[in-house]
């Protein structure tokens, strides 16, 4: 039994999902004739109360398209220092859109409206023009933390007052949704664009969706084409997305429960210095200064347990659809043998 906690992206399509994929009615999506893609896009748009949605092969491409939609070369984007768009998209913000990021020193990847206000450049020609604020919910590097919706609304007001656009990287928004019972339409109202991922907690093999109103989204399909993201009979993948939205949302609470139990087990170990507060399916922790990450990860690997090193001494475990009860019991038992 291999226990893979490196990411919630390691899931494989279930039997039910594969059946839904096999039965998909498809067409050439470049001609917008794939009825399953069209169905997924209108389903997601409707969930957020937005006009349009567009299916993407990756969350990175959906976010990069949003950056391009909202900025001009030379502009500046405000985001947290932990932001995925800054840390894990291969420098795409500067490569694709020619923008720089003004990093906020937030708390677990989250920041306040006041911090946004302070990060906006003055309106003088020798500054770069601040044009976009980007929020990530849940925060990946921040350990799956969930935003307070009141703060998001305050940030929305700051954006409105300063003529800034607001984008949500909602790769794991579904996790925040089940944990905090958030209202997706209220989210749709607050953001100009939102990207959501189907291939993480929801268990699809591929796919993210970008949502927004028509005035903004009319250019999105052109940018997706420029990035090479146009696809043909992709309804087979969209069918997996529809299946996941119909079947795999509510069960995310199980992943959250398991993550919290892992956190308790870890915090009992003498080699563990610190476990970040666990709100959803991500467990971020640090070892004591005199204990090497490599050694700990090797000990786990010897027991067929795989986790990820996030850098800056942070280790990460992520629970998911294919991490079952048996694996969970084995992990907790194995950790307990590492001493207290
Ligand atoms: C995974 C992830 C993405 C996109 O990842 P892809 O691998 O490109 O699909 C974007 N933002 C966050 C916060 C993520 O965790």
């Amino acid at each position: 039994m291999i226990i893979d906690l490196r990411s919630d992206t390691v899931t494989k399509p279930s039997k039910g999902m594969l059946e839904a994929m096999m039965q998909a009615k498809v067409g050439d999506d470049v001609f917008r004739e794939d009825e399953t893609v069209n169905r997924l896009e209108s389903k997601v748009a409707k969930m957020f109360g937005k006009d349009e949605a567009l299916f993407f092969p990756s969350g990175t491409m959906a976010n990069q398209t949003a950056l391009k939609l909202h900025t001009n070369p030379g502009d500046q984007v405000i985001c947290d220092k932990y932001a995925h768009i800054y840390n894990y998209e291969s420098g795409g913000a500067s490569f694709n859109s020619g923008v720089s990021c003004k990093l906020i020193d937030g708390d677990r990847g989250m920041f306040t409206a006041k911090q946004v206000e302070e990060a906006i450049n003055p309106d003088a020609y020798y500054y770069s023009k601040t044009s976009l604020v980007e929020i990530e919910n849940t925060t990946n590097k921040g350990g799956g933390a969930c935003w307070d919706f009141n703060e998001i609304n305050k940030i929305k007001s700051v954006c409105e007052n300063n003529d800034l656009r607001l984008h949500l990287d909602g790769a794991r928004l579904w996790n925040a949704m089940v944990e905090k019972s958030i209202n997706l339409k209220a989210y749709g109202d607050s953001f100009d664009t939102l990207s959501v991922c189907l291939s993480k907690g929801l268990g699809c093999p591929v796919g993210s969706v970008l949502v927004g109103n028509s005035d903004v989204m009319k250019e999105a399909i052109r940018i997706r084409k420029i990035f090479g993201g146009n696809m043909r009979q992709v309804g087979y993948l969209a069918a997996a997305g529809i299946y996941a939205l119909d079947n795999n949302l509510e069960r995310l609470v199980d992943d959250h429960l398991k993550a919290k139990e892992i956190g308790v087990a870890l915090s009992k170990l003498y080699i563990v210095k610190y476990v970040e507060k666990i709100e959803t399916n991500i467990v971020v922790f640090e070892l004591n200064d005199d204990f090497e990450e490599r050694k700990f990860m090797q000990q786990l690997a010897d027991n067929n347990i795989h986790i990820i090193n996030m850098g800056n001494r942070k280790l990460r475990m992520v629970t998911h659809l294919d991490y079952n009860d048996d694996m969970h019991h084995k992990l907790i038992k194995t950790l307990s043998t590492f001493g207290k």
Side-chain angles (χ1 to χ4, degrees), residues 11-26:
T11 56
K12 292 174 187 163
S14 64
K15 201 157 163 276
M17 183 179 281
L18 282 172
E19 271 163 21
M21 292 169 75
M22 293 306 286
Q23 281 157 22
K25 294 204 172 61
V26 299

Side-chain angles (χ1 to χ4, degrees), residues 267-326:
S267 50
K268 285 182 187 154
L269 305 183
Y270 74 92
I271 51 171
V272 171
K273 177 158 101 184
Y274 172 74
V275 182
E276 191 79 79
K277 183 178 165 203
I278 299 164
E279 293 188 60
T280 54
N281 67 329
I282 302 180
V283 182
V284 171
F285 62 103
E286 283 182 40
L287 301 180
N288 282 330
D289 297 340
D290 57 356
F291 207 88
E292 269 182 66
E293 283 88 4
R294 198 180 41 81
K295 200 168 143 203
F296 181 71
M297 288 174 74
Q298 188 56 51
Q299 281 178 353
L300 288 174
D302 291 343
N303 288 282
N304 285 324
I305 297 164
H306 303 283
I307 70 169
I308 216 165
N309 187 339
M310 299 196 85
N312 303 336
R313 305 227 66 203
K314 285 183 195 293
L315 298 176
R316 190 187 77 171
M317 298 186 190
V318 189
T319 57
H320 52 76
L321 187 56
D322 290 356
Y323 174 67
N324 61 31
D325 290 348
D326 288 347

